[in-house]
Amino acid sequence: MSELNPAMQLATEYLESTNTVVFLTGKAGTGKTTFLQNLKQTSKKKLAVAAPTGVAAINAGGMTLHSLFQLPFGPLLPGGDERPEMHYNPEKKELLGSLELLIIDEISMVRPDVLDQIDLILRNIKGTTYPFGGVQLLLIGDLSQLSPIIRDEEWGMLSRYYSTPYFFSALVMQKAPYIRIELDHVYRQKEQDFIRILNEVRNQQISGESLALLNARYVPDFRPATDDPYITLTTHNSIAQQVNTEFLEALQGQEFEFSATVKGDFPRDAYPTETNLKLKIGAQVMFVKNDGSAEKLYYNGKIGTVSRIEGNTVFVQCGPGDREIEVEAVEWTNVKYQLDDEAINESNAGSFAQIPLKLAWAITIHKSQGLTFDKAIIDVSEAFASGQAYVALSRCRTLSGMVLRNPIGTHNIIGDPAVIRFNQQAALIKPNGQTLLRDQALYEQYLLGELFNFGPLQTRLKGFELLLPDLEKEIISVAGKFTKQLKTERSSQAAVYFLEKLTAATENLHRQLPGLIGTSKELAKKADQLIIWLMNRIRLMEHFGQAPFSVTTYLLLIKEGIKTYDHSYLKTLNALPNEKLYEQLLEWREETAVKENIMPNMVLSEKTAAAIAEKLPATLKALSAVKGVGTQKATQYGPELIGLIRAYQQELQGFGTEQVSLF
């Protein structure tokens, strides 16, 4: 890869050895998605993949940004001292706290306020003022493709803070060190004429010759055969609907109609599917909502075929080996936003309930981003947004596999001057080997600062502050002074100092915590998180107190960090009475289940085993009284169970075994 594609190699080196934000761009078909998939397999960093839409997230193999960061869908005004991460559960905080690389695919569709909110959340969780909390971002996408979707009332609020609706206008991008790497080798298309046409459309400078060659693909009244796999890409839902209706009418069999229920204010242009949805067996359909159930059987953009219809339920087959998906009506809500002073208030203005499907012989260009087709019918005669024509044309592998439903004129090729200016400015500052060395040195300084960053300690100490009264004076204040004049050669001396203070603090906590925790599992869990953080930091200080600071060693020690410890406060609180006997009972349960060829829970549930271990029944009558045992099981398994109990008791007392009556 390095010999064939120097741009990809440079991007790889930046992602391996710096935390500089990387904007990886390039024409459609230049391998951005392939680079992402390879990086997921080879990166040594803890990473997460996200995208702005459900379809893009599925294609990238990640989550939506709104799901990963639990973001509301309305405008997110910058500034203020909000802590949106406060409502996260401990698992979410831990996940984001350990994040080293965040990959955002289809970045062209991400609004600037979303990026600023992610920056705020990561800084809060990481306990640092560094952009994105020091997490490296890989932003993948092409600004010449689809732009963010922002309603007029939303832009009315956001335009007070941002000059454009694109990610590069985010306030954090004015502070964060970032580079732009452009991939220029086209892999998707092999025809040089087609590649030239796409480049000209992308740059909004199409020649008369290229336009004529493109319009030679216009075939009036073209209609593919039933078994010819053409998909139509169009700008508007209404046009896609017309194509789908034609294909539906060509299908034999009964037509079923499902009516939507619309309440309150729900704009027609926001309807996720038809108000009167007509389906037949064999119809090609697309899901238009994520599955809200625990099974997550479908997602927005998943395509399948209607296999049967029973009453108000539609069954969809998405693949030869897949099970049928049972689909019933679901509800969408229309949220309105209004600005009151500096606060955004949200209200539910209306709702739309319908089967979450739509016909899919044709789809909108927005739904097609990230997909590739061998045969496509393109219609951009009513293009209304920048990048639409380019996205549609570049979905095709070949010019010969494309049919135009209407001729294309120069007025259909819409671009955004703000994007052109950004690309021109960014192209003047190309990263190279020298900038890589500079950014590697900056990364080393950042990690050295992280070694002495005790912000996370302050966060974890909440609720236990009184136990370490000298923390501010002896650790936080001293660390603050040291990090203002960071020098690698002084790091060993600083590590020795903090090692002594952190060790003493940990010993002090261990003496005082039991009395404060009592029987509170919540406090015990917080205490464990605090102690584990201290143990990991002590481990780092021990190493770098004796050896020079090294990026490779630091990252290795972080990766191999302590996750738990033997004397966990939570484990002590959760310890079962007679835990050894409980484990013996579970082992006996497994062996008995194998002998009788039944499930282990049919012998004893874990809850029942725990109750037996706690109560230590001495007779069959006492055993049968334990919840989950009963007379039948006591008769069937009683002699063995009571034998285990007595052997355990005698082992505790140091006596040998002997025959004792069970009654």
Side-chain angles (χ1 to χ4, degrees), residues 196-239:
R196 186 188 74 248
I197 289 170
L198 291 177
N199 287 342
E200 291 179 7
V201 172
R202 183 173 187 257
N203 297 325
Q204 300 149 55
Q205 295 176 337
I206 191 166
S207 65
E209 179 189 356
S210 294
L211 195 59
L213 191 59
L214 187 59
N215 280 320
R217 302 305 307 159
Y218 168 53
V219 181
D221 302 319
F222 176 77
R223 187 177 179 85
T226 306
D227 59 349
D228 209 355
Y230 274 91
I231 187 167
T232 296
L233 308 184
T234 185
T235 51
H236 290 70
N237 274 316
S238 59
I239 302 175

Side-chain angles (χ1 to χ4, degrees), residues 247-294:
F247 274 90
L248 184 70
E249 290 174 350
L251 275 180
Q252 299 300 312
Q254 180 184 353
E255 182 177 275
F256 297 81
E257 185 170 330
F258 299 87
S259 298
T261 302
V262 184
K263 297 178 181 177
D265 179 15
F266 204 106
R268 290 195 66 84
D269 62 1
Y271 286 178
T273 186
E274 288 74 27
T275 52
N276 295 302
L277 178 63
K278 297 176 181 179
L279 298 175
K280 289 182 181 179
I281 308 299
Q284 185 167 294
V285 291
M286 175 188 290
F287 286 92
V288 291
K289 193 173 179 66
N290 295 329
D291 183 4
S293 75

Side-chain angles (χ1 to χ4, degrees), residues 233-421:
L233 308 184
T234 185
T235 51
H236 290 70
N237 274 316
S238 59
I239 302 175
Q241 186 174 351
Q242 179 186 343
V243 173
N244 286 323
T245 300
E246 292 172 2
F247 274 90
L248 184 70
E249 290 174 350
L251 275 180
Q252 299 300 312
Q254 180 184 353
E255 182 177 275
F256 297 81
E257 185 170 330
F258 299 87
S259 298
T261 302
V262 184
K263 297 178 181 177
D265 179 15
F266 204 106
R268 290 195 66 84
D269 62 1
Y271 286 178
T273 186
E274 288 74 27
T275 52
N276 295 302
L277 178 63
K278 297 176 181 179
L279 298 175
K280 289 182 181 179
I281 308 299
Q284 185 167 294
V285 291
M286 175 188 290
F287 286 92
V288 291
K289 193 173 179 66
N290 295 329
D291 183 4
S293 75
E295 293 184 283
K296 308 297 181 191
L297 296 176
Y298 56 84
Y299 56 85
N300 185 10
K302 188 179 182 74
I303 293 178
T305 303
V306 174
S307 53
R308 57 193 172 104
I309 297 173
E310 296 178 1
N312 293 321
T313 304
V314 179
F315 294 84
V316 178
Q317 189 83 42
C318 293
D322 295 343
R323 80 183 215 196
E324 283 183 322
I325 299 174
E326 188 176 329
V327 192
E328 295 181 334
V330 295
E331 186 176 82
W332 290 259
T333 56
N334 177 38
V335 174
K336 287 283 188 180
Y337 304 98
Q338 60 184 39
L339 187 64
D340 296 329
D341 296 326
E342 294 298 314
I344 295 175
N345 292 321
E346 177 182 305
S347 61
N348 184 357
S351 65
F352 179 97
Q354 177 60 293
I355 301 287
L357 296 171
K358 67 191 311 180
L359 296 173
W361 285 286
I363 61 173
T364 61
I365 293 165
H366 262 92
K367 288 285 186 185
S368 77
Q369 183 149 324
L371 304 178
T372 302
F373 305 112
D374 291 313
K375 293 185 175 183
I377 302 168
I378 307 294
D379 185 4
V380 291
S381 59
E382 296 187 32
F384 59 89
S386 63
Q388 278 187 322
Y390 177 65
V391 170
L393 296 172
S394 61
R395 298 309 94 201
C396 303
R397 291 189 191 278
T398 63
L399 193 60
S400 58
M402 176 198 307
V403 172
L404 297 183
R405 185 173 284 270
N406 289 292
I408 293 178
T410 53
H411 63 283
N412 300 130
I413 301 169
I414 304 168
D416 192 326
V419 169
I420 296 172
R421 285 195 301 272

Side-chain angles (χ1 to χ4, degrees), residues 420-655:
I420 296 172
R421 285 195 301 272
F422 171 79
N423 285 332
Q424 288 173 341
Q425 292 166 2
L428 297 175
I429 313 171
K430 290 185 178 180
N432 52 35
Q434 284 187 317
T435 61
L436 177 62
L437 289 173
R438 176 202 67 197
D439 290 338
Q440 286 171 334
L442 289 173
Y443 187 44
E444 181 179 20
Q445 282 293 101
Y446 165 74
L447 291 179
L448 183 59
E450 282 301 285
L451 175 61
F452 301 107
N453 172 22
F454 295 101
L457 174 58
Q458 284 182 297
T459 302
R460 285 168 173 77
L461 201 60
K462 285 181 179 174
F464 305 124
E465 297 95 335
L466 296 178
L467 304 187
L468 293 180
D470 296 326
L471 178 73
E472 178 64 38
K473 181 178 66 176
E474 295 185 347
I475 295 180
I476 307 298
S477 178
V478 175
K481 291 175 184 176
F482 177 70
T483 52
K484 285 179 181 176
Q485 41 185 339
L486 274 177
K487 291 184 180 177
T488 307
E489 58 271 19
R490 293 184 57 209
S491 62
S492 293
Q493 182 183 354
V496 170
Y497 170 83
F498 288 114
L499 173 61
E500 178 188 346
K501 298 299 179 186
L502 292 172
T503 303
T506 305
E507 292 172 354
N508 192 21
L509 283 170
H510 273 309
R511 283 194 299 271
Q512 300 182 74
L513 278 171
L516 179 63
I517 292 170
T519 59
S520 170
K521 291 185 178 181
E522 184 180 348
L523 284 176
K525 191 170 186 179
K526 287 180 64 178
D528 282 343
Q529 292 171 344
L530 171 59
I531 296 296
I532 289 170
W533 190 91
L534 285 165
M535 290 170 68
N536 277 310
R537 195 55 43 140
I538 286 170
R539 186 164 164 262
L540 290 170
M541 297 302 172
E542 283 176 338
H543 182 88
F544 291 116
Q546 301 173 16
F549 183 80
S550 154
V551 169
T552 305
T553 306
Y554 177 85
L555 293 176
L556 183 64
L557 289 171
I558 290 289
K559 187 175 183 180
E560 297 175 348
I562 298 166
K563 301 293 186 294
T564 185
Y565 63 106
D566 292 339
H567 303 292
S568 159
Y569 290 102
L570 187 59
K571 187 177 179 182
T572 302
L573 279 184
N574 286 338
L576 291 167
N578 303 309
E579 189 165 0
K580 185 176 180 182
L581 174 60
Y582 170 71
E583 291 171 357
Q584 290 172 350
L585 290 170
L586 291 185
E587 188 177 339
W588 168 84
R589 181 185 76 150
E590 296 294 327
E591 293 171 356
T592 304
V594 171
K595 286 178 191 174
E596 299 182 6
N597 196 26
I598 58 176
M599 297 295 290
N601 267 4
M602 294 176 69
V603 181
L604 285 179
S605 70
E606 291 181 8
K607 191 173 181 180
T608 300
I612 293 171
E614 180 182 0
K615 295 179 184 297
L616 298 174
T619 65
L620 290 181
K621 185 177 181 182
L623 178 63
S624 66
V626 175
K627 189 174 182 181
V629 179
T631 305
Q632 184 179 344
K633 284 188 179 180
T635 304
Q636 184 178 2
Y637 302 126
E640 293 179 74
L641 290 172
I642 291 179
L644 284 171
I645 293 167
R646 289 181 178 168
Y648 169 73
Q649 290 174 316
Q650 288 163 356
E651 184 183 342
L652 288 180
Q653 297 167 3
F655 298 134

